[in-house]
Structure formats: C-alpha cells, structure tokens
Amino acid sequence: MAGYVGVFVSDPWLQSQFTQVELRRLKSHFNAMKRENGGLMLADLPSKMARIKHVGENLTEQERESFLRDSYKSLEEDVDFELFLQVYLKIQAHAAARMGNTAKSSSAFVKSATSTLLHTISESEKASYVAHINSYLADDEFLKKYLPIDPLTNDLFEVSKDGVLICKLINVAVPGTIDERAINMKRMLNPWERNENHTLCLNSAKAIGCTLVNIGTQDFIEGRRHLVLGVISQIIKIQLLADLNLKKTPQLLELVDDNKDAEELMSLPPEKILLRWMNFQLKKAKYEKIVTNFSSDIKDAEAYAHLLNVLAPEYINPTTLTVKDHLERAKFVLEHAGRMGCKRYLTAKDIVEGSPNLNLAFVAHIFQLRNGLSTQTKQISFLEISPDEAQMSREERAFRFWINSLGNSSYIDNVFEDLRNGWLLLETLDKVSPGIVNWKIATKPPIKMPFRKVENCNQVVKIGKQLKFSLVNIAGNDIVQGNKKLILAYLWQLMRCNMLQLLKNLRFHSNGKEITDADILEWSNSKVRNSGSKSRMTSFKDKSLSDGIFFLELLSAVHPRAVNWSLVTKGETEEQKKMNATYIISIARKLGCSIFLLPEDLIEVIIHLLNMHGYLMHSIFQDT
C-alpha cells in the first residue's frame, strides 16, 4: 500500500523474529522512552518496560533489573533500537521461563543461539495438516513434484515460501476463490512474483473468513512457522466446517423443533452447530453428559465411543467402553473411525491431551463422512429465501469478513446477531476514526442489562451522525433488535467512510482534501483514458461494467504487467463475464487490494450493489 514504511534492523536474525506490526509497536515504545528521558540507557529499561505487554505484566521491576544486571556487565550502556529488541527478547524468554512456559514434548521451538523462547508450533498439528495437504492436493499438476510432504521435516514451510501451495489450499477450502490464472506458477520465482503470490493468498484468506492480524508477506517468505501454520489451520478449518449450515445441509433442521429454534440455529457459528449435532447424536446413545468443547470434555474418549457407535454400529467393538485406560480407549475409537473411512487428523495421544484444533477437525470430518441425519428434510417456510434476502446474505458476508479483518477483540459469525450489543461496532468505529468513541460511557460484554446494550448502540448512532452518515429514523434500539436492513445500511456507510478516510490520508493523491466518489470516478476514467483506451464508466451502476473490461483496463493502467490479456474473454456471455470477474478480483487482491466481494457482485450491476463496485474502486485507488 502506498505510504507504508517498514521498520528494518541491520541484523537479519533479529529482523526475522518480529512481524512488521510488532516492530512498529516496539519502535513506538522505544521512541517514547527516548523522548521522555532525552536518551536511553540499560539502567532505564527495568522501569520503562513496565508498559510493554508480556514483559511488563509477568515480571516486577526488581526482577527485570536483577535479570539485566546478571546479563550485562554495565547498565550505563546507551541503548539503540537493536539492543532494545535484544533486551526485549531476553526478558520475554526469562518471563516465560519463570512462569513455566517451557516446551512440551509435542511442541517445537523456533530457537536461536541467543534466545531460549520465541514461538511454538504443535508437531501433531503440523503432521495432521501435512496429511490433509498431501491428500487434497495430491493430484495438482504444479504441486505434485513437491508432494507428498514429509511431516517429520520443515518441508511444509519451505514449499509454502512461493505462495502457490497456500493459494491452492484456499481453493480447496472455498472453490473458485482464487482465479489460478492470477497465480505466478513456475519453478523459480523472482522476489516480486513471490511477493505477489503471498499478497494474493493473504487477501484471499481474509476474503474467505480467516483472521490475519499482524501477518504479512515477509512472514511467508521467511517461513515463520507459527504464523504459516496458523494460516493453514484456519483455511483447513473453514474447509472442514463448510457443510455446517442449513444451505449446504438442510437435514440439520432435525436438530430443532420449530421455526424459532431454526432461526437460532442459523445464527450459530459452525463450531457451535457441530457441538449441537454431536450432542444430538449422543442423546440417541443415552450418553448423559453434555459436550461443550473439543478439549476437556472428550479427553476420556467416551463421548467419541458413543458417537461412533450411533453413526456406525456395524463396526462396534464392545471393548471400547469397558476399557479403563483413556489412551487405550482412544486407540479403539480411532480404529472404529478408520473402519468408517475417516481421515484421522489426530492420534490417540491428541485425544487424551485435549488438542482443540485437531479434535474439531476430527469431529468435522466425521460429520462430513456420516452425519446420521435423516434424508427427509423438514419443510420450513423461511428457508425459501427471496432475492432480497439472498442479496442481504451476500452483503452480510462481505461486511462480516471486513470487520473480522480489522482485528477487533472478538470474531463475529453473523453481523445481525453479533453486533447487537454495540460493543464491536464501537471498536470498529474506533478503528475507522481513532479517538471518536467515548469509552467511559460504553459497556463491555458480557452485558446483562438490556439498557446497557441500547446505550452502546445509541452512541454508535450518535457517532454515525458525527461522521455524516445518513441515519434517518435509525435509533440504537434498531441495532439491538437486529433490524437487518438498517444494520446493513449503517455498515455500508461505515465501510465507505473507512475507505474514504484511508484515501484522505494518502496526501500524495488528495493534498489533504476530502475524496469523493466523483473524484474516484474521474481518476478511474483518467487512468484508463491515459493508457490509450476509449472505455469509460458513467457511474458505479453503469451496466457496461458487467463485462469486466473496464476494471481490467484500470488494473492494467495502474500496474501495466498485472493483466495477461490473452486470458481475458470478451465478456459477452454470462460464463465469460464470470471468468473476467473472477480474474479481476484475484488480480486486484494480488496487487494488494483487500476485497470482500464475489464475482456475482461485479456482474450484477444494480443499484443496491453500488457499494460493491464502489468498494472495488476505493480499494484499487487506495493501493496506488
């Protein structure tokens, strides 16, 4: 993104230990300390570092001072930024060691000669994800020369360094997310091409619902294992939970009794639906406990034994429930699952240790393979979605992924339900316009008193009016009540405000003045005209935009090498329009645009999709 300035240090190893977000945060602390003192020495750090999370929380000032006296000959030494980072890492490691955060046998540490602690990864999770990748990408023409990956090595992180594997994995999770014509695929990529692939995969991962705060392209290029594994984990989780909704699996209605319960079910996140399904099946087995998580509640493997007995009674082994040893029972469970044809995703040891990610993956795969629900679907009227409701669903998805990309305190699964207490809307407003929220009168969840939710939402509406949103007849209580149209109207204006704020900050373009839609329209037409094309658009709802040619010409004008015109269709048929739209979104993401729309949103140029076209234009404009 234009205007972005990285923080760099001369020591490559030291640089590799931090994300750019972490470096900027620590640089800010360092500069503030120097300003306060007019300089900075080692002796100043024990007190000054109290304000830094992890380092300040877990050790007293006396403990930090004692540690530095043992580590350095003199505390009168001047501190530059690199020494500050070294001290930070050492104290962080010392704090963790004091708290007992040493490595378990199942984890591997990213170590160096000068540090005893950084980030850990679970070797069990790595092995599971490698097995998943080897299975689902085995037939990929480009990747087959790298597969199967050996889970006992770090080959996963080496293969991920060019970005192709992550892009392909995203398409396995949500088919069609990335147009593979936009991926740079050849044996040797130059740094520019590799960076483009990582930018494409990160923006596409955000677009399917991954939360990627403090992760950048450099983390993939350097193979930072805990971050790469975290992204892969989220992508695989999205794939495994894809069927846990009423659209994909209407048989889930068997879990509820009436329309009201069904509406509640539709608003639940996939993990909660999976738990509800598991308990529904366990009830059939007369299992008396309620499973509330994928960790401690299933460590004894008893719930698994009952679940598989219900779903696949032909493979029952009576010994499974009579054996006393939990590890032995877990082994019998996995044998039962294997006879059903389930991929394991975990070991018996992972079950008894309560690995939440791997247990979730295992249960989700059991659901995919054999959910035990009736093939007779209940006829419930509200499942027949009108065109307006379908459009609201698409817009809800775009706004949900945008809000989750901002790094708020909580992840949202449904904007109509999860924003009703006002807190996350206040957090989002504070991200868009820092300092605008009066936190003294805001109430943080959990909120028991309904009027406190109304107070939060009243402040949301008040701030919207300060930002000149059109909020006629909208009150805080409308948000509390979950009024879908009003919530979507507010979110569109909030997202648009965010884009315009970003553009305003790019003074290279705006000279500090307000940027309007008319400015973006003029800029777009000017860019395309100056590239030699006669194409132009009259507005964001111009019907001619549906073929995608104007957007492709704009992307090409911004970055001349971005578009491979031999891959572009004329955009005359619906299929050709969709191919162009998919290519446009992938190219824009590859160039650094964060876009949360679908190809259909570009093709269907109608008034209520003005927001989607405008958002694409804002993103392209912002990135240049």
Side-chain angles (χ1 to χ4, degrees):
M1 185 185 294
Y4 171 80
V5 179
V7 178
F8 299 98
V9 294
S10 59
D11 183 341
W13 176 84
L14 198 57
Q15 176 87 36
S16 72
Q17 305 312 304
F18 302 93
T19 65
Q20 275 295 311
V21 172
E22 289 169 332
L23 281 173
R24 289 200 298 275
R25 178 175 60 83
L26 290 170
K27 182 73 170 177
S28 176
H29 280 301
F30 174 74
N31 289 340
M33 292 175 191
K34 283 191 73 174
R35 281 195 302 271
E36 290 168 4
N37 277 35
L40 197 63
M41 293 191 299
L42 282 172
D44 301 319
L45 294 182
S47 61
K48 297 292 183 186
M49 280 187 151
R51 69 187 69 172
I52 302 178
K53 196 173 182 181
H54 303 308
V55 169
E57 292 173 348
N58 300 330
L59 292 174
T60 66
E61 182 179 334
Q62 291 73 25
E63 287 171 333
R64 289 191 294 275
E65 182 178 357
S66 175
F67 176 74
L68 287 182
R69 289 195 182 281
D70 291 340
S71 303
Y72 295 93
K73 290 181 180 178
S74 170
L75 297 189
E76 302 305 308
E77 184 179 346
D78 287 333
V79 177
D80 60 14
F81 185 52
E82 290 197 15
L83 179 55
F84 176 77
L85 293 177
Q86 291 169 2
V87 171
Y88 173 82
L89 288 176
K90 288 183 177 182
I91 293 181
Q92 184 189 52
H94 179 61
R98 286 289 299 272
M99 294 176 69
N101 289 343
T102 52
K104 294 181 179 179
S105 59
S106 61
S107 296
F109 271 71
V110 183
K111 290 184 178 177
S112 77
T114 60
S115 174
T116 57
L117 165 102
L118 280 172
H119 300 282
T120 66
I121 64 169
S122 163
E123 289 294 336
S124 290
E125 286 192 26
K126 185 183 80 171
S128 177
Y129 302 150
V130 165
H132 182 96
I133 289 167
N134 287 340
S135 173
Y136 283 93
L137 292 173
D139 297 327
D140 186 86
E141 196 61 33
F142 179 81
L143 291 174
K144 65 183 181 184
K145 56 181 172 285
Y146 303 108
L147 302 179
I149 296 170
D150 183 351
L152 299 178
T153 68
N154 285 324
D155 289 354
L156 171 63
F157 308 108
E158 291 300 314
V159 176
S160 298
K161 283 185 177 180
D162 66 5
V164 177
L165 183 141
I166 307 291
C167 286
K168 299 271 191 177
L169 192 61
I170 287 170
N171 272 353
V172 170
V174 183
T177 299
I178 296 175
D179 189 325
E180 294 202 359
R181 296 173 295 175
I183 306 173
N184 298 318
M185 284 190 284
K186 55 187 182 183
R187 183 170 287 275
M188 292 297 293
L189 297 178
N190 63 42
W192 176 264
E193 293 167 327
R194 192 181 299 119
N195 189 69
E196 283 185 332
N197 279 353
H198 290 309
T199 303
L200 172 59
C201 83
L202 286 173
N203 282 320
S204 299
K206 285 192 285 187
I208 66 170
C210 295
T211 302
L212 304 179
V213 181
N214 297 349
I215 300 176
T217 58
Q218 195 65 24
D219 298 314
F220 282 90
I221 292 167
E222 294 172 358
R224 300 192 70 188
R225 299 189 298 164
H226 65 292
L227 295 177
V228 174
L229 202 66
V231 173
I232 290 172
S233 169
Q234 290 189 69
I235 295 168
I236 291 175
K237 178 181 174 183
I238 287 168
Q239 177 190 344
L240 292 174
L241 296 176
D243 292 341
L244 281 148
N245 59 73
L246 290 176
K247 184 178 178 181
K248 291 280 188 72
T249 312
Q251 295 85 358
L252 284 166
L253 284 172
E254 193 176 338
L255 307 186
V256 300
D257 296 323
D258 54 33
N259 280 19
K260 185 177 180 181
D261 290 339
E263 288 179 6
E264 180 194 348
L265 185 70
M266 288 178 73
S267 69
L268 290 176
E271 299 96 315
K272 297 291 186 186
I273 296 176
L274 190 62
L275 281 171
R276 183 172 288 197
W277 166 80
M278 188 174 182
N279 284 310
F280 175 80
Q281 299 297 350
L282 290 173
K283 194 174 179 181
K284 295 179 184 176
K286 309 239 185 300
Y287 184 68
E288 294 180 358
K289 298 176 185 175
I290 300 294
V291 176
T292 61
N293 58 63
F294 294 105
S295 183
S296 58
D297 285 0
I298 47 183
K299 280 184 175 184
D300 62 5
E302 193 174 332
Y304 276 143
H306 285 289
L307 176 67
L308 297 182
N309 285 351
V310 168
L311 297 176
E314 67 271 29
Y315 300 124
I316 285 178
N317 180 347
T319 311
T320 306
L321 285 170
T322 59
V323 70
K324 300 297 182 185
D325 184 76
H326 294 173
L327 188 63
E328 286 302 310
R329 183 182 298 137
K331 289 176 182 177
F332 284 128
V333 163
L334 292 178
E335 287 175 9
H336 192 157
R339 289 193 289 273
M340 289 169 58
C342 281
K343 290 184 177 65
R344 288 198 172 185
Y345 284 101
L346 76 179
T347 64
K349 187 167 178 282
D350 295 323
I351 292 176
V352 298
E353 288 184 351
S355 171
N357 286 342
L358 297 183
N359 278 299
L360 172 65
F362 183 53
V363 177
H365 186 63
I366 292 171
F367 177 87
Q368 284 185 338
L369 190 72
R370 191 180 298 199
N371 61 39
L373 298 173
S374 170
T375 54
Q376 298 292 320
T377 306
K378 290 182 182 179
Q379 296 299 313
I380 296 190
S381 58
F382 75 86
L383 285 179
E384 298 170 7
I385 298 175
S386 69
D388 282 349
E389 288 171 326
Q391 179 52 38
M392 275 198 284
S393 176
R394 272 162 49 184
E395 294 189 8
E396 185 275 337
R397 173 190 180 277
F399 294 136
R400 171 165 33 98
F401 290 167
W402 169 66
I403 291 171
N404 283 332
S405 75
L406 299 176
N408 289 325
S409 62
S410 299
Y411 183 89
I412 64 171
D413 294 288
N414 185 305
V415 299
F416 304 129
E417 293 297 323
D418 298 343
L419 301 182
R420 287 170 60 176
N421 63 23
W423 181 262
L424 282 172
L425 278 172
L426 290 172
E427 286 192 341
T428 303
L429 283 162
D430 198 54
K431 291 280 196 326
V432 171
S433 185
I436 202 167
V437 176
N438 182 352
W439 294 109
K440 292 180 180 179
I441 62 171
T443 304
K444 186 176 183 178
I447 305 174
K448 295 181 180 179
M449 304 297 290
F451 76 92
R452 295 294 186 192
K453 297 178 184 180
V454 176
E455 286 178 345
N456 281 353
C457 292
N458 282 342
Q459 187 178 181
V460 167
V461 173
K462 181 181 177 182
I463 293 171
K465 290 176 179 176
Q466 283 179 240
L467 296 172
K468 299 180 180 177
F469 293 0
S470 176
L471 299 175
V472 180
N473 297 327
I474 297 181
N477 196 50
D478 294 313
I479 299 172
V480 175
Q481 295 300 321
N483 186 310
K484 293 183 179 182
K485 288 187 177 180
L486 295 182
I487 289 173
L488 289 178
Y490 190 97
L491 288 176
W492 154 235
Q493 293 180 84
L494 182 54
M495 179 190 271
R496 182 178 176 278
C497 176
N498 183 42
M499 289 295 106
L500 293 176
Q501 287 276 26
L502 290 170
L503 295 178
K504 183 182 176 183
N505 292 337
L506 297 178
R507 297 196 175 187
F508 174 79
H509 294 290
S510 65
N511 296 319
K513 69 175 185 179
E514 293 286 342
I515 298 290
T516 66
D517 286 351
D519 293 324
I520 297 172
L521 200 65
E522 171 55 32
W523 169 84
S524 306
N525 284 323
S526 174
K527 275 283 185 184
V528 172
R529 183 173 61 250
N530 292 339
S531 71
S533 172
K534 294 181 180 179
S535 297
R536 70 184 303 274
M537 68 173 180
T538 58
S539 71
F540 292 135
K541 53 185 177 181
D542 188 332
K543 294 288 185 183
S544 68
L545 294 173
S546 67
D547 63 12
I549 301 300
F550 181 86
F551 287 132
L552 287 163
E553 288 181 337
L554 176 59
L555 288 165
S556 183
V558 171
H559 290 273
R561 59 180 290 276
V563 178
N564 182 345
W565 286 100
S566 67
L567 303 176
V568 177
T569 75
K570 292 181 180 180
E572 294 174 345
T573 68
E574 288 303 307
E575 182 59 31
Q576 288 179 342
K577 289 178 180 179
K578 186 166 185 179
M579 288 179 68
N580 283 353
T582 305
Y583 190 50
I584 288 164
I585 292 171
S586 291
I587 291 297
R589 286 175 179 154
K590 183 177 177 178
L591 297 181
C593 301
S594 291
I595 296 171
F596 302 97
L597 45 72
L598 299 170
E600 293 85 347
D601 299 323
L602 288 181
I603 297 167
E604 298 170 17
V605 189
I606 50 182
I607 291 174
H608 63 262
L609 281 175
L610 165 63
N611 55 351
M612 297 303 181
H613 287 82
Y615 185 59
L616 175 61
M617 299 307 304
H618 290 156
S619 297
I620 296 172
F621 185 72
Q622 172 197 330
D623 195 57
T624 59

